[in-house]
Amino acid sequence: MAKPNILLIYTGGTIGMVKDFETNTLKAFNFDNLLVRIPEIKQLDCNISTHSFEEPIDSSNMNPKYWLQIAEVIEGNYATVDGFVVLHGSDTMSYTASALSFMLENLSKPVIFTGSQLPIGDLRTDAKENLITAIQIASLQESGAPQIKEVCLYFEYKLYRANRTTKINAEHFEAFASLNYPELAVSGVHLKVFSVNLLENNESGTFFVHKNMCPEIAVLKLYPGITEAVVKAVLNAPNIKGVVLETYGAGNAPTLKWFVDLLETALIKGIRVVNVTQCSGGSVIMGHYETSMHLQKIGLISGGDITFEAAITKMMYLLSKKLSKEDFKTQFEKSIKGELTASFL
Ligand code: ASP
C-alpha cells in the first residue's frame, strides 16, 4: 500500500518558533527545515510536504481572511493529499478550527490542528509530541481510506473534535478542553481511536470550500449590573446581522422590561440572536427556569451545548447563506458538523 501523503500547513504561533539565544526573543523558523529540527519525523510512515504562510502570525492576529487562506491551501492540495496538519498558535486555534469545520464542505479527509505551549527548540517543548502524533493521526487509514474525516484538534495526548474545544489554560501543557463531547482519540502507549465518537460522514458530495463568512456580528456578555446603555450600544452597533448573547447557567437572563424590549426590537429588525451559556460545560435549556421563558417567547435561538468559539463561527457561516429567519433558527439549532448535541434542544 502506498504511504499516505501529509501536508503540514504552518500558520505561525509558538510551535514554529525558536529562541534566539543572543537576544532571548522567540522568532519564526523556516519550516522547510523541519526535518532538520525534528529528525524523528523521518521515521513516520508517510510522505510529508510543507506549506508555510509567507509571514507566520501570532494567532491573536487571525481573522476570516486567514481562515480562507488555510481553506484554500487545503482545497488546492485536496486531490493529492490524504491528511492535513495545521500548525497554529494556541490562543485562537479553537476559533480557526471551528470555522474550518464549517467552511470545508463534504470533507472526507482529516484536518488536524495542533500547536504548542513551548517553542519547538525549547528543551522541555511539548511541540514535538503534538506534531509527531498529529501527523500520525492524519496518516491513519482504514481499508485504503482516511480513518478520520473531520476537523480535529490534537493537544497533549488528546484528539478532540475541533468545534467542541476551548482553550482553558495559558500555562499547562493541557491547554484545551472539550467539556461537552468526549475525546476522539487518546495517545498513550498505544494510539487509541474511539471510532464511535467520530463524525459520521454522511456527506457524499464533492469537497468544496464555503468561502464567504459574514463577520458582521456582535457579542453581548451578561453580567450582574449590565446597564441599558451598554445593551443598547451592542444591539445597535452599525450593520450587525447577528448577536451571540452569553447568558448565565442554562441560558438564563434578567427579566427586566428594558432588557427584553431591546432584545425584541433587535429581533424585529431581523438581527439573529443566539443564546449561548457562559458556562464551559452543559447546555442552554430555554424554558427550564422562569428566567429564560421570556427569551424563548420572543424567539431567541438556542445554542444548546455549543462552545462560544463554534457559536461565533457558525453564526458567520450561516449568516453568509442569507437564510430566512425560520431556516436560520432550524440550521443553528441542529448539528451541522457535530458542534452541538441535538438531544439537549
Ligand atoms: N500567542 C501564541 C499564539 O497563539 C501562543 C501559542 O502559540 O500557543 O500564536
Side-chain angles (χ1 to χ4, degrees):
M1 228 168 46
K3 285 185 183 181
N5 296 325
I6 304 299
L7 179 63
L8 277 185
I9 304 170
Y10 174 53
T11 69
T14 306
I15 190 164
M17 297 186 171
V18 276
K19 196 169 243 167
D20 182 327
F21 287 102
E22 271 164 30
T23 60
N24 214 23
T25 51
L26 291 177
K27 55 178 195 187
F29 80 89
N30 181 350
F31 237 74
D32 298 334
N33 295 337
L34 183 75
L35 287 176
V36 181
R37 290 245 161 224
I38 317 176
E40 299 92 320
I41 282 188
K42 284 201 200 101
Q43 295 171 31
L44 291 169
D45 207 15
C46 56
N47 305 311
I48 299 172
S49 50
T50 58
H51 175 102
S52 184
F53 267 29
E54 223 160 272
E55 277 184 40
I57 55 164
D58 184 289
S59 77
S60 308
N61 282 319
M62 262 291 155
N63 62 43
K65 279 193 196 135
Y66 287 121
W67 298 344
L68 182 59
Q69 220 173 298
I70 302 169
E72 285 183 334
V73 172
I74 294 174
E75 182 182 43
N77 290 279
Y78 198 77
T80 52
V81 166
D82 301 294
F84 300 86
V85 173
V86 183
L87 301 173
H88 192 289
S90 63
D91 289 349
T92 64
M93 194 189 296
S94 291
Y95 290 89
T96 304
S98 295
L100 269 280
S101 76
F102 298 114
M103 293 167 76
L104 303 176
E105 307 268 18
N106 302 328
L107 182 69
S108 59
K109 300 185 178 187
V111 176
I112 316 292
F113 277 75
T114 196
S116 66
Q117 294 281 58
L118 284 175
I120 217 149
D122 199 287
L123 211 51
R124 294 175 49 250
T125 189
D126 52 333
K128 277 192 187 181
E129 199 288 318
N130 285 348
L131 177 57
I132 289 170
T133 309
I135 296 173
Q136 248 175 342
I137 290 169
S139 311
L140 292 173
Q141 301 265 312
E142 211 174 48
S143 322
Q147 187 177 6
I148 291 164
K149 305 174 177 78
E150 59 181 295
V151 182
C152 304
L153 189 154
Y154 180 78
F155 224 86
E156 192 62 4
Y157 305 108
K158 287 179 183 155
L159 181 74
Y160 308 101
R161 174 163 306 145
N163 58 30
R164 291 292 197 149
T165 62
T166 304
K167 183 170 179 183
I168 47 137
N169 205 302
E171 161 73 22
H172 295 162
F173 285 146
E174 188 155 355
F176 289 88
S178 164
L179 288 159
N180 286 330
Y181 198 76
E183 289 107 31
L184 307 183
V186 172
S187 165
V189 173
H190 301 288
L191 186 57
K192 273 196 197 140
V193 178
F194 306 115
S195 307
V196 286
N197 298 340
L198 298 177
L199 195 64
E200 264 185 52
N201 193 359
N202 298 323
E203 298 175 347
S204 50
T206 314
F207 170 80
F208 70 97
V209 175
H210 178 91
K211 300 198 175 182
N212 300 318
M213 294 290 267
C214 170
E216 285 145 346
I217 65 169
V219 175
L220 180 57
K221 182 167 186 158
L222 298 182
Y223 51 90
I226 192 166
T227 62
E228 187 171 348
V230 167
V231 175
K232 218 183 239 170
V234 175
L235 295 178
N236 290 311
N239 303 323
I240 55 159
K241 299 185 173 64
V243 173
V244 173
L245 177 69
E246 277 203 273
T247 56
Y248 308 123
N252 307 319
T255 48
L256 292 166
K257 186 170 175 335
W258 64 259
F259 178 73
V260 186
D261 286 351
L262 283 174
L263 275 181
E264 207 165 7
T265 310
L267 291 170
I268 292 166
K269 275 204 293 192
I271 295 175
R272 315 284 189 242
V273 186
V274 176
N275 184 352
V276 174
T277 173
Q278 292 176 18
C279 297
S280 339
S283 177
V284 163
I285 310 173
M286 282 198 283
H288 189 56
Y289 287 90
E290 202 182 19
T291 44
S292 64
M293 275 305 285
H294 57 305
L295 303 180
Q296 192 174 36
K297 257 190 219 142
I298 61 174
L300 241 69
I301 298 158
S302 174
D305 65 349
I306 200 165
T307 61
F308 177 70
E309 293 85 341
I312 292 282
T313 51
K314 186 174 185 177
M315 184 165 254
M316 290 184 183
Y317 168 77
L318 288 180
L319 282 174
S320 73
K321 294 191 164 209
K322 305 207 163 47
L323 303 169
S324 69
K325 199 170 154 183
E326 292 70 29
D327 286 350
F328 186 94
K329 185 167 164 39
T330 311
Q331 290 294 320
F332 205 100
E333 291 185 345
K334 75 172 200 190
S335 159
I336 299 177
K337 296 292 173 77
E339 71 283 2
L340 55 80
T341 311
S343 60
F344 271 130
L345 300 168

